[in-house]
Amino acid sequence: MKLSKRIQEIKPSPTLAITMKANAMKAAGHDVIGFGAGEPDFDTPRYIKEAAVKAIEEGFTKYTPVAGIDELKDAIIDKLARDQGIKYNRSEICVSCGAKHTLYNLAQVLFEEGDEVIIPSPYWVSYIDIVKLAGATPVVVPTKEEEGFRLSPSSLLAAISERTKGIIINSPSNPTGSVYSREELKGLAEILVKSDLVVISDDIYEKILYDGLKFSSIAQVHPAMKEKTVIVNGVSKAYAMTGWRIGYAAGPEWIIQAVTKLQSQNTSNPTSIAQKAAVAALQGDQGEVEKMVQEFERRRNYICEALNSVPGFRCPKPQGAFYVFPNVEGVFGWAPKGRVINNSSDLAGYLLDEVGVAVVPGADFGDDRYLRFSYATSIDLIEKGVARIKQALS
Ligand code: PMP
Ligand code: GLU
């Protein structure tokens, strides 16, 4: 008996693994400060919880249509019209159990053996394994810190081969927090509209933007892009609803119907109760989201300044999401407490063991010269965590 080749070729999600490890250490009585989890520390807003309670009380606890209830599809259609200015029909929307599930479903229906999928790096950890699980080959295209970690049209063009089937664009980005401007997306779109690629636009951090920036999705920057793009989004990040597991895809009907067929053979449908909560989230008072974003912006300002004061660290100031991605090459070659640090994993391991600070190594996101910190935690803990890092490296 043995496991499939498919499962042997992927690794467990490193972001989840580090979060679990930090939580287990905390439970065992260790004093750990976690910058690992990419999850808002706020509670889900009350009006959303109330919608879920109401759904339970009213007995809305049965299977639903595979691609989600019409009420939620309509709330998503309204949201996409309002925010992106794009009109979708119900047959172009499929709701799944989180944006990660949406991405997994999409890869399964779009990609196969022999296909290449372009993934700009630094990338979110799961893109690589999701593409591999579909049998396809991830083609990692590095971006530069000096260029704001954004893919240039020339790098995109150079990465496209006869085998390229798709590309994943993520703005605001996990892990760098970089955000593409409308003009930059247009530059990429001009190449993509002439190609046969499917574009997966992971817009999950859409609402978490700073410095008064406006969000654009690549689907909205060129009239021909809607037909080439699947927008992936969800309620996890904007509404502090990570545990509710609601994500969705909006895109061409032929792709969405394939995703729906696949979903009918795996989860059947996303949770009925969580779907009602997601309707409330999308249709309710968006002031709650603004409050959370204001608080994230305050923390971003604080953590960037604090990390820039750590010897050997250089922390660019991101414009979105809730991560910072400092360059830590400056400490490579050091041996604090006799422990040699030569890469991001050595440093992350040392910080956790020595001073109980959990961060994710840049290597997991495709660039070993960096560390990822999630600042979805209080200013107080950020202050303590950075002080501990300084102590560990002194
Ligand atoms: N995309 C990115 C870039 C993410 O950081 C996450 C966070 N887990 C997801 C997708 C998936 O989000 P969820 O499954 O919670 O909707
Ligand atoms: N997206 C979050 C992160 O990057 C949550 C964990 C995960 O799903 O990877 O930390």
Side-chain angles (χ1 to χ4, degrees):
M1 280 194 297
K2 64 177 172 54
L3 293 169
S4 68
K5 195 161 152 272
R6 190 181 334 114
I7 196 67
Q8 292 185 60
E9 277 177 4
I10 66 157
K11 58 182 186 316
S13 161
T15 43
L16 295 181
I18 284 166
T19 308
M20 296 303 155
K21 184 169 177 194
N23 289 344
M25 285 172 73
K26 275 188 214 164
H30 296 280
D31 177 16
V32 175
I33 300 181
F35 295 106
E39 152 165 79
D41 53 327
F42 307 110
D43 195 6
T44 304
R46 171 141 298 280
Y47 71 94
I48 299 174
K49 292 196 214 174
E50 280 167 358
V53 171
K54 185 161 174 273
I56 296 173
E57 299 291 358
E58 288 176 355
F60 195 74
T61 53
K62 302 285 164 57
Y63 292 133
T64 75
V66 171
I69 53 176
D70 283 348
E71 196 186 350
L72 178 52
K73 284 189 178 180
D74 290 346
I76 293 166
I77 289 167
D78 288 350
K79 178 252 171 278
L80 291 165
R82 189 169 69 226
D83 295 345
Q84 274 68 55
I86 313 178
K87 198 183 160 318
Y88 288 93
N89 300 315
R90 286 180 184 165
S91 58
E92 295 170 310
I93 309 286
C94 180
V95 183
S96 300
C97 307
K100 192 185 261 180
H101 184 215
T102 300
L103 288 160
Y104 178 84
N105 283 345
L106 282 168
Q108 290 295 318
V109 308
L110 290 169
F111 309 137
E112 62 198 344
E113 204 94 4
D115 291 342
E116 292 179 355
V117 180
I118 296 175
I119 302 177
S121 76
Y123 45 73
W124 177 45
V125 288
S126 291
Y127 294 149
I128 301 287
D129 293 299
I130 285 174
V131 166
K132 282 190 188 164
L133 279 167
T137 307
V139 172
V140 173
V141 182
T143 64
K144 298 193 184 109
E145 184 184 327
E146 316 78 272
E147 293 173 2
F149 294 114
R150 290 183 289 266
L151 182 68
S152 64
S154 56
S155 313
L156 167 62
L157 204 53
I160 298 176
S161 77
E162 291 122 59
R163 297 183 147 200
T164 315
K165 188 80 183 286
I167 177 170
I168 306 180
I169 307 240
N170 174 221
S171 169
S173 148
N174 177 1
T176 66
S178 77
V179 182
Y180 286 83
S181 70
R182 202 181 167 93
E183 283 312 307
E184 286 163 336
L185 291 172
K186 261 192 195 162
L188 299 177
E190 267 152 33
I191 295 170
L192 293 166
V193 292
K194 290 185 211 130
S195 76
D196 195 28
L197 270 68
V198 180
V199 181
I200 296 179
S201 181
D202 182 348
D203 299 353
I204 193 90
Y205 294 101
E206 170 196 359
K207 299 285 177 196
I208 305 170
L209 275 185
Y210 312 120
D211 308 323
L213 231 61
K214 289 262 172 302
F215 173 78
S216 299
S217 171
I218 193 156
Q220 71 190 87
V221 300
H222 188 291
M225 280 309 286
K226 183 193 165 199
E227 282 314 308
K228 300 193 69 67
T229 310
V230 184
I231 289 182
V232 174
N233 208 328
V235 294
S236 284
K237 313 290 173 171
Y239 302 97
M241 290 176 70
T242 45
W244 298 75
R245 312 309 301 132
I246 294 289
Y248 58 86
E253 189 172 327
W254 62 277
I255 299 176
I256 298 301
Q257 292 317 308
V259 166
T260 306
K261 177 164 76 172
L262 174 66
Q263 188 156 289
S264 77
Q265 296 290 13
N266 54 51
T267 60
S268 295
N269 60 264
T271 309
S272 60
I273 302 151
Q275 289 189 63
K276 287 282 190 181
V279 171
L282 292 171
Q283 290 185 333
D285 174 13
Q286 304 297 305
E288 291 286 334
V289 183
E290 277 162 40
K291 272 192 245 156
M292 292 191 257
V293 174
Q294 275 170 14
E295 177 56 22
F296 280 139
E297 185 157 2
R298 210 167 71 86
R299 296 173 185 179
R300 174 204 61 165
N301 296 341
Y302 185 86
I303 197 169
C304 284
E305 210 178 305
L307 288 174
N308 273 317
S309 73
V310 176
F313 281 34
R314 179 182 71 238
C315 185
K317 199 170 189 179
Q319 291 189 296
F322 37 68
Y323 308 102
V324 280
F325 202 56
N327 179 295
V328 294
E329 271 173 298
V331 307
F332 293 174
W334 294 11
K337 308 247 167 23
R339 200 159 141 177
V340 184
I341 293 167
N342 281 327
N343 54 46
S344 63
S345 306
D346 289 348
L347 181 55
Y350 171 68
L351 293 177
L352 188 58
D353 296 343
E354 185 62 30
V355 286
V357 170
V359 295
V360 190
D364 290 326
F365 304 92
D367 200 326
D368 201 17
R369 298 168 300 163
Y370 296 83
L371 287 184
R372 190 192 80 172
F373 288 67
S374 158
Y375 52 88
T377 187
S378 68
I379 295 247
D380 188 36
L381 286 174
I382 296 173
E383 187 183 357
K384 280 199 191 118
V386 176
R388 287 191 193 181
I389 295 172
K390 284 186 176 165
Q391 178 209 328
L393 294 174
S394 65

